[in-house]
mmCIF file with all atom_site columns, all heavy atoms in Angstrom:
data_model
loop_
_atom_site.group_PDB
_atom_site.id
_atom_site.type_symbol
_atom_site.label_atom_id
_atom_site.label_alt_id
_atom_site.label_comp_id
_atom_site.label_asym_id
_atom_site.label_entity_id
_atom_site.label_seq_id
_atom_site.pdbx_PDB_ins_code
_atom_site.Cartn_x
_atom_site.Cartn_y
_atom_site.Cartn_z
_atom_site.occupancy
_atom_site.B_iso_or_equiv
_atom_site.pdbx_formal_charge
_atom_site.auth_seq_id
_atom_site.auth_comp_id
_atom_site.auth_asym_id
_atom_site.auth_atom_id
_atom_site.pdbx_PDB_model_num
ATOM 1  N N   . VAL H 1 8  ? 50.545 -17.023 -41.133 1.00 0.00 ? 174 VAL H N   1
ATOM 2  C CA  . VAL H 1 8  ? 51.403 -17.080 -42.315 1.00 0.00 ? 174 VAL H CA  1
ATOM 3  C C   . VAL H 1 8  ? 51.629 -18.542 -42.686 1.00 0.00 ? 174 VAL H C   1
ATOM 4  O O   . VAL H 1 8  ? 52.123 -19.333 -41.870 1.00 0.00 ? 174 VAL H O   1
ATOM 5  C CB  . VAL H 1 8  ? 52.753 -16.381 -42.046 1.00 0.00 ? 174 VAL H CB  1
ATOM 6  C CG1 . VAL H 1 8  ? 53.648 -16.452 -43.271 1.00 0.00 ? 174 VAL H CG1 1
ATOM 7  C CG2 . VAL H 1 8  ? 52.526 -14.940 -41.605 1.00 0.00 ? 174 VAL H CG2 1
ATOM 8  N N   . ARG H 1 9  ? 51.245 -18.905 -43.899 1.00 0.00 ? 175 ARG H N   1
ATOM 9  C CA  . ARG H 1 9  ? 51.416 -20.267 -44.416 1.00 0.00 ? 175 ARG H CA  1
ATOM 10 C C   . ARG H 1 9  ? 52.680 -20.315 -45.275 1.00 0.00 ? 175 ARG H C   1
ATOM 11 O O   . ARG H 1 9  ? 53.175 -19.295 -45.705 1.00 0.00 ? 175 ARG H O   1
ATOM 12 C CB  . ARG H 1 9  ? 50.220 -20.671 -45.271 1.00 0.00 ? 175 ARG H CB  1
ATOM 13 C CG  . ARG H 1 9  ? 48.892 -20.414 -44.637 1.00 0.00 ? 175 ARG H CG  1
ATOM 14 C CD  . ARG H 1 9  ? 48.550 -21.447 -43.631 1.00 0.00 ? 175 ARG H CD  1
ATOM 15 N NE  . ARG H 1 9  ? 47.292 -21.107 -42.963 1.00 0.00 ? 175 ARG H NE  1
ATOM 16 C CZ  . ARG H 1 9  ? 46.949 -21.609 -41.823 1.00 0.00 ? 175 ARG H CZ  1
ATOM 17 N NH1 . ARG H 1 9  ? 47.714 -22.480 -41.217 1.00 0.00 ? 175 ARG H NH1 1
ATOM 18 N NH2 . ARG H 1 9  ? 45.821 -21.262 -41.259 1.00 0.00 ? 175 ARG H NH2 1
ATOM 19 N N   . SER H 1 10 ? 53.185 -21.508 -45.508 1.00 0.00 ? 176 SER H N   1
ATOM 20 C CA  . SER H 1 10 ? 54.360 -21.666 -46.357 1.00 0.00 ? 176 SER H CA  1
ATOM 21 C C   . SER H 1 10 ? 54.064 -22.694 -47.431 1.00 0.00 ? 176 SER H C   1
ATOM 22 O O   . SER H 1 10 ? 53.580 -23.784 -47.136 1.00 0.00 ? 176 SER H O   1
ATOM 23 C CB  . SER H 1 10 ? 55.562 -22.130 -45.531 1.00 0.00 ? 176 SER H CB  1
ATOM 24 O OG  . SER H 1 10 ? 56.648 -22.421 -46.394 1.00 0.00 ? 176 SER H OG  1
ATOM 25 N N   . SER H 1 11 ? 54.372 -22.342 -48.664 1.00 0.00 ? 177 SER H N   1
ATOM 26 C CA  . SER H 1 11 ? 54.223 -23.307 -49.756 1.00 0.00 ? 177 SER H CA  1
ATOM 27 C C   . SER H 1 11 ? 55.509 -24.105 -49.943 1.00 0.00 ? 177 SER H C   1
ATOM 28 O O   . SER H 1 11 ? 55.533 -25.072 -50.699 1.00 0.00 ? 177 SER H O   1
ATOM 29 C CB  . SER H 1 11 ? 53.854 -22.581 -51.049 1.00 0.00 ? 177 SER H CB  1
ATOM 30 O OG  . SER H 1 11 ? 54.881 -21.670 -51.395 1.00 0.00 ? 177 SER H OG  1
ATOM 31 N N   . THR H 1 12 ? 56.558 -23.714 -49.231 1.00 0.00 ? 178 THR H N   1
ATOM 32 C CA  . THR H 1 12 ? 57.845 -24.388 -49.358 1.00 0.00 ? 178 THR H CA  1
ATOM 33 C C   . THR H 1 12 ? 58.063 -25.413 -48.248 1.00 0.00 ? 178 THR H C   1
ATOM 34 O O   . THR H 1 12 ? 58.615 -26.480 -48.490 1.00 0.00 ? 178 THR H O   1
ATOM 35 C CB  . THR H 1 12 ? 58.988 -23.344 -49.319 1.00 0.00 ? 178 THR H CB  1
ATOM 36 O OG1 . THR H 1 12 ? 58.730 -22.364 -50.314 1.00 0.00 ? 178 THR H OG1 1
ATOM 37 C CG2 . THR H 1 12 ? 60.331 -23.991 -49.569 1.00 0.00 ? 178 THR H CG2 1
ATOM 38 N N   . LEU H 1 13 ? 57.618 -25.107 -47.019 1.00 0.00 ? 179 LEU H N   1
ATOM 39 C CA  . LEU H 1 13 ? 57.799 -26.021 -45.892 1.00 0.00 ? 179 LEU H CA  1
ATOM 40 C C   . LEU H 1 13 ? 56.737 -27.119 -45.918 1.00 0.00 ? 179 LEU H C   1
ATOM 41 O O   . LEU H 1 13 ? 55.693 -26.976 -46.550 1.00 0.00 ? 179 LEU H O   1
ATOM 42 C CB  . LEU H 1 13 ? 57.714 -25.238 -44.576 1.00 0.00 ? 179 LEU H CB  1
ATOM 43 C CG  . LEU H 1 13 ? 58.807 -24.191 -44.378 1.00 0.00 ? 179 LEU H CG  1
ATOM 44 C CD1 . LEU H 1 13 ? 58.517 -23.332 -43.163 1.00 0.00 ? 179 LEU H CD1 1
ATOM 45 C CD2 . LEU H 1 13 ? 60.177 -24.852 -44.253 1.00 0.00 ? 179 LEU H CD2 1
ATOM 46 N N   . SER H 1 14 ? 56.973 -28.191 -45.201 1.00 0.00 ? 180 SER H N   1
ATOM 47 C CA  . SER H 1 14 ? 56.058 -29.332 -45.158 1.00 0.00 ? 180 SER H CA  1
ATOM 48 C C   . SER H 1 14 ? 54.664 -28.919 -44.721 1.00 0.00 ? 180 SER H C   1
ATOM 49 O O   . SER H 1 14 ? 54.499 -28.100 -43.814 1.00 0.00 ? 180 SER H O   1
ATOM 50 C CB  . SER H 1 14 ? 56.596 -30.379 -44.176 1.00 0.00 ? 180 SER H CB  1
ATOM 51 O OG  . SER H 1 14 ? 55.635 -31.381 -43.953 1.00 0.00 ? 180 SER H OG  1
ATOM 52 N N   . ASP H 1 15 ? 53.648 -29.522 -45.348 1.00 0.00 ? 181 ASP H N   1
ATOM 53 C CA  . ASP H 1 15 ? 52.276 -29.255 -44.930 1.00 0.00 ? 181 ASP H CA  1
ATOM 54 C C   . ASP H 1 15 ? 51.801 -30.283 -43.897 1.00 0.00 ? 181 ASP H C   1
ATOM 55 O O   . ASP H 1 15 ? 50.634 -30.346 -43.560 1.00 0.00 ? 181 ASP H O   1
ATOM 56 C CB  . ASP H 1 15 ? 51.331 -29.193 -46.122 1.00 0.00 ? 181 ASP H CB  1
ATOM 57 C CG  . ASP H 1 15 ? 51.262 -30.500 -46.889 1.00 0.00 ? 181 ASP H CG  1
ATOM 58 O OD1 . ASP H 1 15 ? 51.952 -31.476 -46.517 1.00 0.00 ? 181 ASP H OD1 1
ATOM 59 O OD2 . ASP H 1 15 ? 50.506 -30.566 -47.870 1.00 0.00 ? 181 ASP H OD2 1
ATOM 60 N N   . THR H 1 16 ? 52.724 -31.083 -43.372 1.00 0.00 ? 182 THR H N   1
ATOM 61 C CA  . THR H 1 16 ? 52.405 -32.074 -42.341 1.00 0.00 ? 182 THR H CA  1
ATOM 62 C C   . THR H 1 16 ? 52.094 -31.408 -41.009 1.00 0.00 ? 182 THR H C   1
ATOM 63 O O   . THR H 1 16 ? 51.269 -31.905 -40.245 1.00 0.00 ? 182 THR H O   1
ATOM 64 C CB  . THR H 1 16 ? 53.587 -33.057 -42.165 1.00 0.00 ? 182 THR H CB  1
ATOM 65 O OG1 . THR H 1 16 ? 53.831 -33.688 -43.430 1.00 0.00 ? 182 THR H OG1 1
ATOM 66 C CG2 . THR H 1 16 ? 53.277 -34.111 -41.128 1.00 0.00 ? 182 THR H CG2 1
ATOM 67 N N   . ALA H 1 17 ? 52.746 -30.297 -40.727 1.00 0.00 ? 183 ALA H N   1
ATOM 68 C CA  . ALA H 1 17 ? 52.524 -29.580 -39.462 1.00 0.00 ? 183 ALA H CA  1
ATOM 69 C C   . ALA H 1 17 ? 51.074 -29.137 -39.373 1.00 0.00 ? 183 ALA H C   1
ATOM 70 O O   . ALA H 1 17 ? 50.505 -28.642 -40.354 1.00 0.00 ? 183 ALA H O   1
ATOM 71 C CB  . ALA H 1 17 ? 53.453 -28.379 -39.359 1.00 0.00 ? 183 ALA H CB  1
#
Side-chain angles (χ1 to χ4, degrees):
V174 180
R175 311 282 176 200
S176 174
S177 61
T178 306
L179 297 171
S180 170
D181 62 0
T182 302

